[in-house]
Structure formats: structure tokens, C-alpha cells
Amino acid sequence: MTGPFWSALGQTRTVLVASGVFASLLALTSWISPYPLSYFDVSFMASGGATTAIAAMGQTLVILSGGFDLSAGAVVSLVNAVLASQMNPMVFDASVPFWTMVGIGVGMAVGAFNGFFIAFLRLQPIVVTLATMFIVQGLTLLVLDKPGGFVSPSLGGVYMGDAIPNLLPSSVVLIGVVILLWLWLKRTRFGLALYAVGSDPDAAAATGIRTGPVIFATYVLAGGLYGLAGVFVSAQTGSGDPLVGNALLLPTFAAVVIGGTRLGGGKGGLIGTIFGAYILMVVVNILLSLNVSAYFSTIAESAVLLFAVLAGSLSKNSPLAQKLRSAQEYLKARRQGTLVSQRKQTDNRLAFAAGAPKSDTMAPGLLTRNAAMLRYTLPAFACLLIVLVITQAVLGNVFTSFRYWDALFVLCSFLAVLALGQGAVILTGGLDLSVPWTIGLSGILIAGMAQGANGALIYAIPIVLAVAIVVGTLNGLGVVALGLSPIVVTLAMNGLLQGLALLYSNGTPDGFAAPALRWIMTGEFLGFTPIIPILALFVAFAVLLLGRTAFGRRLYAIGNSEIAARLSGVNTGATLICVYVLSAICAALVGILLTGFSGQASLGMGDEYLLPSIAVVVVGGALITGGRGHYVGMFGGALLLTAMQTLLAGTTLPFAVRSVFFGLVILAAVIALREKRSI
Amino acid sequence: MFSITKSAVRLAAAASIAATCATAASAEKFDIYLSMSYIGNDWQAEAANMVKALASHENYADKINLKVQVAGPNAQRQIQQINAMVQAGADAIVVYPISPTALNSVVKNACDKGVTIIAYDGEISEPCAYNVTIDQLEAGRVTAEWLAEKMNGEGEVVMITGVPGTSVDAARTAAAKEVFEKHPGINVVGEAVGMWSQAVARTEMSKILATRDWSEIDGLWMQVGCFTANAMQLEAGIDAENLLPCAGEGSNGGRIQMLPAGTEVEGATLPYAPLDAPRISYASPPYSGALALKLAVDILEGKEVPDLTTLPLPVVTSETIQLCETGSWEEQKAGCNAFLPSLVSNPGWFASIYSQELPEVGLNAALVGQPEL
């Protein structure tokens, strides 16, 4: 494993691993399948996985540049809707090149929209693409409000057919053409600049690369690939469905990661991604052939994801190996008695520090000291004020009625609690995608154990929190000990928890929230809903935890630079694990609160909260790459999003328009947070 | 044109079955696969339980080999899954289609290979597929008409819809709005997306109620959420006699609330208790999957089955509500349509499980996947 040959392989190694995994899975499929794989089966598999593969290649470009694109799936749906609604149902031989260009063009237009805000206004990719995702989903429903429409069979004839009959399916040729373009692009100045920008944007700028145009072009190209994927789906299905691509988002990430591209940028490539996408597809066949119970399928997929990523990253320099070596060295030092903590604990501080004369300069005023904090927290509150005024004008009852405020605070309590957990993870530069099913599993556990009895809460709540601690610890260990990207670890954990929740509830969760829990969320205490004073305490706790404790300061230190933090003596590993535990506990609390609010738990009840939990944190002024943010701002973000949803729910605007509006507000909020160009 | 090819395919299928029957032992079973969508909600779980129960009933246990797979919300995955089922040698595939259109080409390909495809609840638009479903337009119209009548043709309506972008939601909502527009006195004052979930319905209703009092609403039209809406009115201090009329889903919680107040019901606790709530309750019946399986076997055995089976719309109103004692098929045949909370602990559980065609499955089938004896 350590020979010069192996290290010389360098970048191609991950591709080899991915292709090896794919080949062995394919061999396994054909071995366990009762019939030999015919050309037709292979051709069908090739076109079946092509949509995911093409969209994932676009995602790879963005990730190589150091970005992240949440709008990928939405663009696929939009292109499908545009083609299905615009093609003339009378014309059966519509021009394939023309409509392919239309699809790619629509995708590129959305990509240019993303690219403009990310490259030239220097906004954070996750937030911009999140806003774009909402806007595009709304537009798609405006173009096509339900499945239907018509896609000319000529498209299907070309993309689903054979390039060489009984030898080469067209889908393989299409992917081959994209690969050739990529191999050429990689060797151009743009390709070099793409990797440079992704590795270190500051260094790239310093060497004279104009990073703005490079990033812009990346999003446009990626948009074009999503558009091509949309054209392919249209050809494959022969009609339109406004939701067809939305579920593609997570598989594209999984494909990119399995294919060996590093989240964060600068390392990887498009070819590995293709194998990643086809690995995901072959797994479906294997689960079927082995007749794996439906409840285990998400668990099996998570296992494949983790296994593929680990197989791609194991080497003598991998974090796991480093951790094992440093543990060995720790034990050795301990035996020899040379550990720092084993030395004599004497005070070595220099004498003059204590008796230093007081400085003459004035202490800066409150505003000056908190200027940076205000700069990042005020936009959320300013937007909130605007939304409140509009609500008052359109619906009334805001400033005159207590009921509005009561409902606002109750509804925002879920996001406010999640914001602490997700916010802490984001402050360290990570992301917690296991939030949805931590919420779901916690809710199901608390309802299942309590069965409507208050007494049972005494043990049910600690058990649920203990489960959350285990979940958080495993997430943290995956990030720290295995050195995997937080997105991969928490995505796999989410699938695992989904499987566990299904197994525990056997598909239909039963039981009720205990009356005490219901009272907290829906009862009355001194005129308030009881959760409101609890929420006030929670907000105070969160502000103190992040702003006034050593733990909080370590968190910011890690977010700014993990290496600098470690060299300054912060136990980064332990702190990171604590952060993921905190996030899991917050998600579990939300599961408990939601169960109290609804009176019962349901599977999938956390699904609605993942993207809002990220949006709230970022709208509240946090930087997605970590190190900057304040809980007060995140709380403001939670209030803003809830107030806006309340405003929209009180109107009869179509859902499509609301979705566009929602996206625009998120975009407006982050534009207000824009940093001046640093020198 | 397609009916000719279809019967040709059927003949071919029958011939191939005849061939296998002739060569293999007479106990040869049909290989039938079930491709489900998401399994994260009660409806899907009940439908799957009923399919499994039917497959294990003595009438069917020796005839079929059933394998169940889940595609989740991803249509691409379902395409791949159906294709894998064809490769694995399926005789028939029962599908809960994630998209009515996205599956067309894979379904066409399966039909060409002589595999019978039958969809339940959602429809597949490819002509060679069989469909088992209710008339969603009728569901939207009947419920909206009932509500308009209850409100005497005037007042403020709040609508909680389903999953935007699906044909079922589009059909139901459009049909209901058409009815409301015919009554000049009726105004739709709030509309929110309920995602067919009681939990989402509650959050959305809370948002609407932040700026509007219960007294400013005269009627509720919800695809899912009447049970929750009634619970919220009780929490807000409204008497059970003054609950708003609600047109909505066929959950058992909602059905129990429709029983006359004071009815003795084992296991009932507020709000999952008789309230005499003014309701019309309807649902896409979860037995449609089991019926689809039954029809698939009929097709494989060479019986004549129509391309589209439209199920009778299961509508229950305060006049027709009746409590079951055990929930057996025989008892439901006699007309009962709500189940004891002591047996069905989850109020969101769908109660429209009776089909005249399916004496093999009763309450136990939907709850735990056990067929009737």
C-alpha cells in the first residue's frame, strides 16, 4: 500500500477505488441474479443511472471550486417541466439538438444566477443555492402545476436508444462525451484555475487568477450539466413531473463523495463521480436480489456510503492512521513519564504580568465593542421588522394583538432550539444533516415510551437524551477519529436513524405525548403558552454558552482555524465531539417539543426542519465556513423565517409564488450580510 | 390499437406461464414484487400490511411469492427498482407510483417482456399498465359540496392542501375550489400546504390562527388535519357543540370524534374521543394495494380485468358513522367504519379499510399484516 507506485497514482487512486467497488458490486449482482445480465439489462442500467450521474458531475464541478449547490435537483425538475410544457404535442419528431440546447440553456441561466451572487457579490454558496432552490421550485410549479405535458418521442429515441445496436447504448456515449469535454477542460487554464480556487482562493487570487470569473463559469457549467440531466429525464419519461428531480439532491452528494471528490474543494474529479452514481444504482439491484427488508434499506445504503468513503481514504496519512499513531505515542510517553500532564505543576508565568500598570486609554464603548456582532445580527431583525409591518398592513392583528406574538414564539421555538445545535456545528465549519431523523426517532421514542402518561416522562426523557448523546458522539467520532467530512458522516447517520425509527415503530408509530408535554406546547400559564418562558431561558442559556464560556470560545477558535486552535492547546477532538453531541441533544429536544405540540409522533416529522435549520443560522449572520456568528442573530433568523411563513399562510397566494418569495427573502437577508471585499 | 397489443402481450404472458407450468412442478408460484414509495407514513405502512396479509392468506399463500421493496421519494430509484424486478424474473409488479409519468418507459419495457404492471392509489399513464384508484376529482367535489351545504352557502373557509405538484393534490384542490367559486357567499381566506400530515396541518393552522381568530372562520376543508383542527379548537376553549364543520381525511381519530358525544368507547381519551364533530370523512383507501395484488393474480390466471379499476369513494358522515367492536371483515361488511382506540392507538391511522372484494383482510391485516381466518 505504501510503494512509490501507489503514491504516484495520487489523484487517480480514489477513482480506482470507486471503479473497483463498482466492478465488484456489478459482479455480485450478476452472480446473485437468477438470470445472466443481457446487453439490454446493461443498457437499461446505464440509462437508469445516467440522470444522477450527469447531475452529480455538475455538483462535482461546484464542489471542486469549494462551493456547494443545493439547487441541483430543483433545476432538473425545472428543465423537465419547461420541456414538457413547451413542446408541441402534435410534433413527434421535434429537433433533439434544439431542445437539448433549450434544457442546457435553462440550466445555465439558473447557474448564472447562482454564480452572480456567489462570485461577484461574494455570498455564501449554501445560502445562495438554498434561496435559488426555493425560487426554482416555485417557478417549476408555475410552469407545470402537476405531472403531465408532452415530451417528443424523438428525444427518447435518441437518448434511450443505441449508438451501436447491441453494443453501445447512447447514454454511455453521452456520458463519454461529457468526460471527454471534462478531460479537455481540465487541461485548460480554466481547469487549472478551478482546482487552484478550490484549494485556496486567497492563494489563487494572489497568484493572479481572477477568482470571480472562474467561480461564475463553474456555476454556469454546473447549471448546464443539471440542464442536460433534465433533458435526459425528459427523454427517459416522455413527459413532465414538477417534483421529478427534487429527490436527486442527496444522491448527487453521495455520488460525489463516493467518487472521491473532497468536500471543501480542490481535490477530485468528474470520473470518480460517475462510478459513485452507478454504485448507488447497483445497490438497489443488490438489495432486491438479496431481498433485504424494506426497513433495512436506508441502513444498508448508509453502510455502503461509509464503506466506500473509508475505502477511498485509508492510507498511512489518513486521519484514522494518524490518530492511531498519536494514541500509540501517547501511551509510550505515558509509560516513560514524559507527558505534559505528568510533569510537575509549577507556576511558570512571568512575574511582571500580574503587576502591569493600568493602561491610560479609555475602554471602548459598548457599541464599539459589539460593532462586529451588531453588524451580523441586525439584518435579521431589520428584515423581521419589515415582515411584521407588512403583516400588520395585509392581515392586521400584529401590533394590537397578543395572540400573534404568542403564536410566533411557540412556532419559532423549534427553529430556535435547532439553531443552537446546527449553529454550533456550523461555527466549527461543519454541517449536521442527521437532524431530521434525530428529531423523528426522538419523537417516536418519547411518544412510544410515555403512552400518554406523565409519570413515564421521568425515564423517557433521559432515555431519549441518552440516545441523542450516543448519536452525537458517533457523529463526532466519525468526524474526528475517522477524519471524514461532517456531511458524509451525518448523512449516513441520518439514513441509519431512519432505519432504526422504522424498525422500532414497525412502520406506524403509536402512543401519545404525555399530557404535561402537550400542556407545555399548547396549554396556558399566566396568559402565555408555557413554552415561551422556557424558550426565554433557553435563549439566555444559548447566548451564555456560545459567548461567555470556554467551550464557546474554543468553538470559535476551531471554526477560524482548527490547526491554530490545536496548537494553542485546545483539545479540538473533544470539543468537536461535544459540538455534535450538543446538536443531537437540540434535535432530540425539538423531537420532544414537536411531539408535545402535535400530541403524537410521526415518521418523517423532522424532514421539514433540515434546510430551515441551516437557513436560520446563516440568515442570522453566521458564516457557513465557521468562526463567525452569534446566537442572538440566529434567534432573529428563526423569528424572521417564522414570521414570514405566518404572513404567507394567512394569504391565499399559490404555493409556487410563496416558494419564490421565500427564496427572495433569504437572498435579501444574506445580501444585507455581505462582507466588504477584504484586501 | 394498444388494446390489441395489450391482449397480445397478455396472450404471450399466459403462454409463457403455461410453458413454465408444463415444465415445472404444478406447485410453481407466481413471483410478484411490490415496489412501494416512501414508508414514512401511516397510509403506506397500512397499505403494505394489507398486501402482506393478503399474500399470506391461505387462498394465496400457495400461489404467490411476494417480495417487498421501497423506493423512497426518488422516481429515478423506482425506475431502477422496477427494472431490477423485471431482471429478477417477476411475473407481476404491484407499484405505488411516485410519479404518474416518470415510470412510463420502464413500465412499457416491463410489459414488452410479458410482466404485468398494476399501480395502486396513484396512476401510471402508460396504457399497458393497470390502475386501481379512486376518482380524486370526485373526492374534492363531494367534500366541498358537503361543506358548502353545512355552511348554508356562506362564510369563510380555510383550506389545508396536500403535497404541491402531485396530481392527487392538484385534482382534489381544483375540484374543491370550483365548488366554492359557485357559491358567491363563500370566501377562501387562508390556504396552506399540509403535506398530508397531521403534524404539518397543526403548524400551518397555528400560523393562520396567529392573525385570525377561530370565530372568524366558518368552515375547514383539509385533505388531512380535521382530527388536529378539532383538538386545537378544544384547546382554545371552544365547546364540543360549537366545533366548525370540517371536510377531510378518513383517519380513525377523526371518525371517533364523529361519534355522538357520550358514546362509551374503550380506550378513548380527549381529543381522541366521541365529540359529535360535524364532519365528512373520505380517503384514498389503503386497501387499494391489496386489491391490486388480487387483480394481478387474476390477470396471471387469465381472468379478464379492466384496465382501470375505480374504487367507490369511501365517504362517511355523521349520519353513517358506526363503531366496530372487533374490526373483522364480516363486521365491517355490516356497515361499521370506526375502530376502538384501544385497538388502534394511533388517531392518524386511516380507517377506510373495507372492500367488498377483499374478505381476506380485516382490521388485523391493516394493523399487523395478519389475514382474516
Side-chain angles (χ1 to χ4, degrees):
Chain A
M1 284 278 276
T2 57
F5 168 72
W6 194 249
S7 56
L9 278 173
Q11 293 250 327
T12 47
R13 192 171 74 95
T14 51
V15 177
L16 285 179
V17 170
S19 61
V21 171
F22 172 71
S24 43
L25 286 178
L26 194 63
L28 180 66
T29 322
S30 78
W31 182 58
I32 55 182
S33 154
Y35 304 99
L37 288 178
S38 65
Y39 166 76
F40 181 81
D41 297 329
V42 173
S43 144
F44 210 95
M45 283 168 86
S47 60
T51 310
T52 316
I54 297 170
M57 284 193 274
Q59 186 73 258
T60 312
L61 285 178
V62 170
I63 287 178
L64 279 178
S65 79
F68 210 69
D69 196 343
L70 297 177
S71 67
V75 177
V76 173
S77 301
L78 176 65
V79 170
N80 179 227
V82 166
L83 260 54
S85 61
Q86 299 305 316
M87 280 190 171
N88 182 349
M90 296 294 118
V91 182
F92 276 63
D93 53 354
S95 157
V96 175
F98 172 75
W99 287 103
T100 304
M101 289 325 289
V102 169
I104 294 178
V106 169
M108 283 185 155
V110 178
F113 181 83
N114 279 331
F116 171 75
F117 288 104
I118 295 165
F120 299 123
L121 293 190
R122 304 166 64 82
L123 300 180
Q124 304 174 51
I126 285 199
V127 212
V128 172
T129 54
L130 179 68
T132 309
M133 185 190 90
F134 285 120
I135 296 171
V136 171
Q137 281 178 354
L139 290 178
T140 307
L141 285 172
L142 287 177
V143 174
L144 190 72
D145 68 340
K146 56 174 181 289
F150 170 85
V151 173
S152 161
S154 57
L155 235 68
V158 170
Y159 289 113
M160 296 291 116
D162 296 315
I164 305 170
N166 290 321
L167 198 65
L168 191 60
S170 322
S171 50
V172 175
V173 175
L174 183 67
I175 291 178
V177 169
V178 178
I179 290 178
L180 286 179
L181 282 175
W182 161 246
L183 290 177
W184 165 76
L185 193 73
K186 209 174 151 184
R187 275 162 182 69
T188 62
R189 294 164 75 96
F190 169 78
L192 204 63
L194 173 65
Y195 278 94
V197 169
S199 303
D200 187 340
D202 291 335
T207 52
I209 293 171
R210 294 173 56 220
T211 55
V214 171
I215 292 176
F216 179 78
T218 305
Y219 280 89
V220 174
L221 282 177
L225 283 170
Y226 308 147
L228 184 61
V231 172
F232 198 86
V233 161
S234 309
Q236 190 182 27
T237 62
S239 67
D241 184 336
L243 304 177
V244 72
N246 297 3
L248 275 179
L249 181 63
L250 289 182
T252 59
F253 282 128
V256 171
V257 171
I258 292 174
T261 297
R262 190 181 66 179
L263 293 172
K267 203 174 151 195
L270 266 59
I271 298 171
T273 301
I274 295 168
F275 288 112
Y278 280 100
I279 286 173
L280 288 176
M281 199 201 58
V282 176
V283 170
V284 175
N285 285 41
I286 292 179
L287 290 178
L288 182 86
S289 305
L290 298 178
N291 200 15
V292 173
S293 154
Y295 292 168
F296 284 101
S297 64
T298 57
I299 297 180
E301 280 170 13
S302 297
V304 170
L305 178 64
L306 280 181
F307 173 77
V309 174
L310 272 179
S313 72
L314 279 188
S315 72
K316 76 173 172 164
N317 292 321
S318 69
L320 180 59
Q322 282 176 4
K323 285 282 175 318
L324 287 176
R325 269 200 303 275
S326 69
Q328 267 174 1
E329 275 160 22
Y330 175 87
L331 288 176
K332 205 168 111 195
R334 188 170 188 89
R335 270 198 303 275
Q336 295 170 346
T338 54
L339 265 187
V340 177
S341 57
Q342 288 170 319
R343 292 195 200 149
K344 256 185 254 161
Q345 302 279 328
T346 49
D347 191 345
N348 291 332
R349 272 175 292 186
L350 296 175
F352 60 77
K358 242 187 164 174
S359 163
D360 289 340
T361 47
M362 290 269 288
L366 192 71
L367 269 183
T368 327
R369 266 184 286 145
N370 292 312
M373 191 270 261
L374 287 173
R375 167 89 186 76
Y376 298 120
T377 52
L378 275 183
F381 287 96
C383 290
L384 174 65
L385 190 64
I386 296 171
V387 171
L388 289 177
V389 170
I390 297 176
T391 312
Q392 172 69 35
V394 177
L395 302 170
N397 291 336
V398 173
F399 297 110
T400 51
S401 130
F402 175 71
R403 194 181 59 232
Y404 177 82
W405 294 95
D406 195 72
L408 182 66
F409 282 110
V410 170
L411 287 170
C412 96
S413 60
F414 311 117
L415 282 177
V417 173
L418 281 182
L420 174 64
Q422 189 70 272
V425 172
I426 288 178
L427 282 176
T428 63
L431 207 57
D432 189 350
L433 302 183
S434 65
V435 162
W437 283 93
T438 312
I439 294 177
L441 182 63
S442 306
I444 289 162
L445 286 176
I446 197 96
M449 283 190 286
Q451 296 290 357
N454 278 334
L457 287 181
I458 295 169
Y459 63 87
I461 291 183
I463 291 179
V464 169
L465 293 180
V467 170
I469 290 173
V470 172
V471 169
T473 310
L474 290 177
N475 274 336
L477 282 175
V479 172
V480 173
L482 298 183
L484 299 177
S485 150
I487 291 175
V488 179
V489 176
T490 55
L491 189 64
M493 178 59 79
N494 196 43
L496 206 69
L497 294 174
Q498 181 177 4
L500 289 179
L502 284 168
L503 287 171
Y504 175 81
S505 66
N506 207 8
T508 45
D510 61 352
F512 298 96
L517 223 50
R518 287 228 298 275
W519 177 76
I520 287 177
M521 297 308 296
T522 59
E524 201 182 296
F525 175 70
L526 301 175
F528 295 105
T529 306
I531 184 69
I532 293 178
I534 300 176
L535 179 66
L537 286 177
F538 182 87
V539 172
F541 164 78
V543 170
L544 289 178
L545 180 71
L546 294 187
R548 287 278 177 274
T549 61
F551 172 73
R553 275 191 280 277
R554 287 183 194 133
L555 216 119
Y556 285 95
I558 292 177
N560 280 309
S561 167
E562 193 178 337
I563 293 177
R566 184 158 57 236
L567 294 176
S568 323
V570 175
N571 185 342
T572 51
T575 310
L576 276 173
I577 292 175
C578 285
V579 165
Y580 286 93
V581 170
L582 177 67
S583 178
I585 289 179
C586 285
L589 285 177
V590 170
I592 295 172
L593 295 182
L594 265 176
T595 308
F597 185 65
S598 312
Q600 59 189 111
S602 49
L603 289 158
M605 68 184 191
D607 289 349
E608 316 273 323
Y609 288 90
L610 174 63
L611 293 178
S613 76
I614 300 171
V616 158
V617 171
V618 182
V619 167
L623 208 58
I624 206 84
T625 46
R628 189 191 90 191
H630 195 283
Y631 184 74
V632 173
M634 299 174 197
F635 183 62
L639 282 172
L640 168 63
L641 254 62
T642 314
M644 205 168 56
Q645 288 170 343
T646 308
L647 168 61
L648 293 174
T651 65
T652 51
L653 285 175
F655 175 75
V657 178
R658 289 182 202 186
S659 186
V660 172
F661 192 74
F662 196 74
L664 289 176
V665 169
I666 294 180
L667 203 56
V670 284
I671 289 175
L673 286 167
R674 191 160 73 93
E675 279 197 79
K676 298 282 170 289
R677 198 186 170 99
S678 56
I679 300 153
Chain B
M1 152 73 184
F2 83 78
S3 66
I4 296 170
T5 50
K6 195 162 172 176
S7 46
V9 167
R10 219 176 288 161
L11 271 180
S16 73
I17 291 154
T20 32
C21 286
T23 51
S26 60
E28 188 76 39
K29 292 178 175 182
F30 295 126
D31 278 321
I32 300 186
Y33 287 78
L34 172 63
S35 172
M36 291 170 62
S37 161
Y38 192 55
I39 38 173
N41 65 41
D42 299 322
W43 196 98
Q44 297 283 1
E46 274 179 72
N49 282 342
M50 295 184 88
V51 172
K52 287 178 200 159
L54 183 69
S56 63
H57 189 269
E58 55 182 7
N59 291 356
Y60 287 90
D62 323 328
K63 281 189 196 167
I64 53 181
N65 250 331
L66 179 74
K67 287 185 182 172
V68 182
Q69 289 286 304
V70 175
N74 187 347
Q76 289 300 315
R77 225 188 119 152
Q78 193 165 38
I79 291 173
Q80 178 56 27
Q81 197 167 69
I82 292 175
N83 191 51
M85 289 171 172
V86 174
Q87 279 171 27
D91 293 309
I93 303 175
V94 180
V95 187
Y96 178 94
I98 295 163
S99 158
T101 54
L103 303 177
N104 284 350
S105 70
V106 70
V107 166
K108 173 93 177 35
N109 161 49
C111 292
D112 291 347
K113 291 199 167 178
V115 180
T116 301
I117 303 279
I118 182 160
Y120 63 98
D121 199 44
E123 284 184 54
I124 295 178
S125 52
E126 165 60 42
C128 78
Y130 295 84
N131 289 301
V132 179
T133 177
I134 62 168
D135 183 343
Q136 305 291 0
L137 281 170
E138 193 198 350
R141 198 180 60 243
V142 168
T143 49
E145 276 167 358
W146 175 88
L147 186 63
E149 198 182 311
K150 272 275 165 189
M151 294 165 60
N152 295 320
E154 55 191 305
E156 322 270 310
V157 173
V158 166
M159 298 178 81
I160 303 285
T161 60
V163 175
T166 58
S167 352
V168 173
D169 175 55
R172 287 181 183 173
T173 306
K177 280 188 174 164
E178 204 170 292
V179 171
F180 293 141
E181 269 162 26
K182 280 189 202 142
H183 294 83
I186 291 185
N187 296 319
V188 178
V189 293
E191 186 183 333
V193 167
M195 306 300 283
W196 293 323
S197 143
Q198 298 277 354
V200 176
R202 179 180 275 264
T203 5
E204 294 304 313
M205 273 314 289
S206 306
K207 285 172 194 163
I208 289 171
L209 290 168
T211 53
R212 183 175 287 277
D213 195 76
W214 280 110
S215 62
E216 298 168 71
I217 302 172
D218 303 303
L220 300 165
W221 185 89
M222 308 174 110
Q223 292 192 14
V224 168
C226 284
F227 170 78
T228 301
N230 286 336
M232 289 174 76
Q233 290 173 71
L234 295 182
E235 283 158 17
I238 293 168
D239 291 334
E241 298 93 73
N242 298 327
L243 289 175
L244 294 175
C246 187
E249 83 289 353
S251 72
N252 198 51
R255 295 267 171 97
I256 292 293
Q257 288 177 338
M258 291 161 76
L259 291 166
T263 314
E264 282 283 317
V265 175
E266 198 186 327
T269 44
L270 275 177
Y272 192 6
L275 294 170
D276 212 359
R279 283 284 318 275
I280 184 169
S281 158
Y282 75 105
S284 283
Y287 69 73
S288 58
L291 187 61
L293 176 63
K294 183 174 207 135
L295 294 178
V297 175
D298 286 353
I299 297 166
L300 292 177
E301 286 176 341
K303 290 182 197 153
E304 200 57 40
V305 170
D307 297 346
L308 173 65
T309 306
T310 306
L311 305 171
L313 185 66
V315 170
V316 178
T317 60
S318 311
E319 287 76 44
T320 56
I321 184 80
Q322 199 183 327
L323 187 66
C324 298
E325 296 281 317
T326 59
S328 70
W329 181 82
E330 287 292 342
E331 203 191 348
Q332 293 185 60
K333 191 173 181 228
C336 76
N337 42 34
F339 304 95
L340 291 173
S342 54
L343 297 176
V344 178
S345 61
N346 172 3
W349 191 87
F350 287 82
S352 302
I353 56 167
Y354 168 75
S355 164
Q356 208 182 331
E357 318 284 323
L358 291 168
E360 294 89 350
V361 286
L363 175 63
N364 273 335
L367 272 182
V368 289
Q370 266 173 12
E372 301 279 283
L373 293 174

